[in-house]
Amino acid sequence: MPEYKDYYKIMGVARDAGQDELKRVYRRLARKYHPDVSKEKDAEARFKEVQEAYEVLKDPQKRAAYDQLGSNWRQGQEFRPPPDWGQNFEFSNAFGDQEGGFSDFFSSLFGGAARGGGRARGAGGRGFAMAGDDQVASIEIDLEDSFRGGTQTIELKSGPGATRKLKITIPQGIVEGQRIRLAGQGSPGHGGGPAGDLYLEVRFRKHKLYQVEGRDVTLTLPVAPWEAALGATVPTPTLAGPVDLRIPANAKAGQRMRLKGRGLPGATPGDQYVVLKIVLPPADTSQARELYERMQRELPFDPRAELQ
């Protein structure tokens, strides 16, 4: 009679562990016990045990079926599945008809899905294959690259004095912190296992005009005192090209104006915010000084009235 296996205990995770945590723990344990590199006692048996646990817990359907057994079983306890167990689930043969096999416990639960499954994908050596690690790198792109989308070739360091070139697709509207996945471009696998993935974390180069927050962009727009005082329509840069922006009369320095949908594209496009900056003409000619002196005499204006 097969012995019950506590897959959560084997992995060292809680029963509510998420997929990201499971993947991270599996990679650590697989590296630790891989028979080709491990010096741990019973490494081969532990590696098979970890593989089996991960095979069940990473698959939502297998995990849901396994969880139906409840948490009262003990590791190593004699086990026989309930007569009606698994009747609402259909399990596919995950590994094909290869040599070896998972445990009798796995076979008793998943039947045909276990036949020939103990040996991981790939050939060579003793048949133990392990996927390579995922890698993360940062790339800088221009704000306009995100606005337009498209392809470009980047160069990444791949070792001391070595680089490699990769052609990547930049999704339109990608924002800072998002990642671009390049399948199979991570660390090589072991024993014929697949390579890991490479994730490129996006950063924007500093832009001469815009500040970026999510999909929204902000532009500081210089205006003359008379444009702010009297109102005006002035050409204003946007990522899609210049537009005419109407500035209301008596506009103030620091006033924010919104151009809806003029930020980065997306399911909900970002906006462009325009912050007004009033720029004073220099008093560097006699005529300019005369105008300022006339304003001083004739305008009843106290810039510090709010401080009183």
Side-chain angles (χ1 to χ4, degrees):
M1 186 170 296
E3 295 181 350
Y4 176 80
K5 288 187 176 294
D6 187 335
Y7 291 136
Y8 293 102
K9 185 175 181 180
I10 290 170
M11 295 284 290
V13 298
R15 295 184 73 86
D16 60 353
Q19 289 298 318
D20 288 344
E21 181 181 359
L22 284 171
K23 185 176 182 180
R24 184 171 61 252
V25 171
Y26 169 70
R27 289 187 180 280
R28 175 173 56 79
L29 293 176
R31 283 194 298 268
K32 181 177 181 181
Y33 294 114
H34 195 285
D36 291 342
V37 296
S38 178
K39 293 183 173 58
E40 297 283 338
K41 183 180 179 182
D42 300 327
E44 185 171 326
R46 290 287 287 125
F47 183 77
K48 280 188 174 184
E49 203 170 38
V50 168
Q51 273 198 315
E52 179 176 319
Y54 185 59
E55 163 62 23
V56 173
L57 299 184
K58 76 176 182 180
D59 184 300
Q61 202 167 22
K62 287 192 182 76
R63 183 175 182 178
Y66 174 75
D67 286 345
Q68 282 190 352
L69 298 175
S71 57
N72 294 325
W73 294 89
R74 299 188 308 276
Q75 176 79 7
Q77 182 179 354
E78 288 189 354
F79 172 82
R80 176 174 293 167
D84 60 348
W85 182 88
Q87 63 180 4
N88 295 323
F89 296 90
E90 181 178 345
F91 306 110
S92 62
N93 188 341
F95 291 110
D97 298 325
Q98 300 180 32
E99 297 177 6
F102 281 143
S103 68
D104 291 340
F105 172 73
F106 185 96
S107 299
S108 71
L109 292 182
F110 302 109
R115 289 194 299 271
R119 180 171 154 177
R121 301 172 183 82
R126 282 172 289 179
F128 291 102
M130 185 173 70
D133 288 337
D134 293 340
Q135 295 180 326
V136 178
S138 294
I139 61 167
E140 281 193 335
I141 64 174
D142 292 327
L143 185 58
E144 287 80 1
D145 294 331
S146 170
F147 182 77
R148 293 187 299 262
T151 61
Q152 63 177 251
T153 300
I154 63 170
E155 195 171 86
L156 293 176
K157 292 182 179 179
S158 56
T163 60
R164 58 173 169 157
K165 292 184 177 181
L166 296 172
K167 188 174 183 179
I168 65 171
T169 298
I170 298 175
Q172 189 178 33
I174 194 168
V175 299
E176 278 201 308
Q178 285 188 319
R179 291 179 174 183
I180 299 171
R181 175 176 173 260
L182 301 180
Q185 295 293 334
S187 296
H190 301 282
D197 298 334
L198 173 62
Y199 292 87
L200 301 177
E201 190 167 291
V202 171
R203 293 285 179 265
F204 290 143
R205 296 186 183 95
K206 186 176 181 180
H207 201 281
K208 65 178 182 179
L209 295 181
Y210 302 105
Q211 294 178 314
V212 188
E213 184 174 346
R215 297 189 187 280
D216 296 336
V217 298
T218 299
L219 169 77
T220 298
L221 181 67
V223 295
W226 49 87
E227 292 174 328
L230 304 176
T233 299
V234 300
T236 302
T238 74
L239 289 168
V243 299
D244 290 333
L245 176 66
R246 183 179 176 276
I247 299 173
N250 296 312
K252 295 179 173 57
Q255 184 170 331
R256 283 166 59 92
M257 306 181 69
R258 179 186 175 209
L259 295 174
K260 186 177 180 180
R262 290 284 181 170
L264 291 176
T268 302
D271 299 325
Q272 176 169 320
Y273 292 92
V274 178
V275 179
L276 301 183
K277 176 184 178 182
I278 299 176
V279 181
L280 298 176
D284 55 358
T285 66
S286 59
Q287 184 181 17
R289 288 185 58 83
E290 183 180 345
L291 285 173
Y292 276 117
E293 289 168 354
R294 182 179 174 187
M295 291 171 61
Q296 183 182 29
R297 291 192 305 268
E298 297 182 9
L299 292 180
F301 175 65
D302 182 357
R304 289 170 292 281
E306 295 180 355
L307 301 180
Q308 299 176 6

